[in-house]
Amino acid sequence: MITVIDVGNTNITIGVMQDEEILASFRLMTSQRRTSDEFVAAFYGLFQTKGIQHKEVEGVVISSVVPKVMHSLRNSIYKFFDLEPIIVGAGIKTGIQIKRENPRSVGADRIVDLVAGHHLYGGPLIIIDFGTATTYDYLSADGEFEFGLTSPGLETSAVALWSKAAQLPEIEIKKPMSIRCKNTITSMQGGLVFGYIGQTEYIIKKIKEEVGEAKVIATGGLGRIIFNETEMIDAYDPNLSFKGMKVIYDKNKGETKYN
């Protein structure tokens, strides 16, 4: 049994996996001021609610795009699990090649998605992660991460809209019944969701014009909203990052030193 931890800009998602099965998952708000003891207390409570014995955890993998969290989080892993975590980053075996100008600048979140995509679907692939930022990454049939695009996430766009316009309210992000929106809330929902569907489909189309056909896989918290409204995404997998970290664990377990 292993624990996989995905530290994003908005949330920290935690998965407990037995082989390929996800036994439980948890979500914490990302806080850069949380101490290692606070992490330990959170882990203890979360594991207790699911009846999971943390002493049975044999390994921990962390993917993080928030460096300021890592000191406390890593120390909490030592305290709670008594384990050295595998940190996704330079020097870790992944099974993919990063063909970018600066490979070290590629976020761990993108790496774990690409690793999972390559392991589960082969290639070529377009992997779209609908998170705080939305990323569109292309992986070749040979497992090479050739290029990617980054845009503001759906929720990030929504927050920018109501925080910058004094008379616009906070809204639930969902597709309205019709594009013929007749009030402020549905007009905002329509602009956000229909606009984001358009962005997604256009970027997929432009990538395929340059590289040819590719399977399109979506992930991320709000990815299901877009997946349900377009035929250009082949599959939606909300646990893609967990699966990628499991693959990385299998490739690196037994190593004596990690990042």
Side-chain angles (χ1 to χ4, degrees), residues 29-167:
M29 289 185 64
T30 302
S31 172
Q32 297 182 16
R33 303 185 66 176
R34 189 179 279 122
T35 67
S36 61
D37 288 336
E38 288 173 321
F39 271 119
V40 168
F43 289 143
Y44 182 82
L46 294 172
F47 275 63
Q48 285 287 99
T49 61
K50 297 291 186 179
I52 296 172
Q53 300 299 316
H54 70 276
K55 292 183 179 180
E56 296 180 7
V57 172
E58 300 171 350
V60 178
V61 185
I62 302 174
S63 163
S64 175
V65 296
V66 188
K68 290 184 179 180
V69 170
M70 291 305 295
H71 179 72
S72 292
L73 177 58
R74 188 167 187 166
N75 283 338
S76 74
I77 302 304
Y78 300 143
K79 292 179 180 180
F80 188 66
F81 296 103
D82 193 26
L83 292 170
E84 169 81 17
I86 297 174
I87 312 296
V88 178
I92 291 295
K93 299 174 185 176
T94 63
I96 63 170
Q97 298 181 54
I98 300 175
K99 299 294 186 179
R100 297 282 297 271
E101 290 181 0
N102 184 4
R104 289 179 178 270
S105 70
V106 177
D109 55 340
R110 300 175 93 147
I111 292 171
V112 296
D113 284 348
L114 289 161
V115 168
H118 183 58
H119 178 74
L120 295 169
Y121 302 100
L125 291 178
I126 300 169
I127 297 181
I128 311 174
D129 190 342
F130 294 91
T132 304
T134 296
T135 55
Y136 303 79
D137 291 334
Y138 177 74
L139 188 74
S140 74
D142 296 326
E144 295 181 344
F145 174 29
E146 295 187 5
F147 63 88
L149 297 87
T150 306
S151 72
L154 185 51
E155 185 173 4
T156 302
S157 300
V159 171
L161 185 61
W162 66 61
S163 65
K164 295 295 184 181
Q167 292 188 315

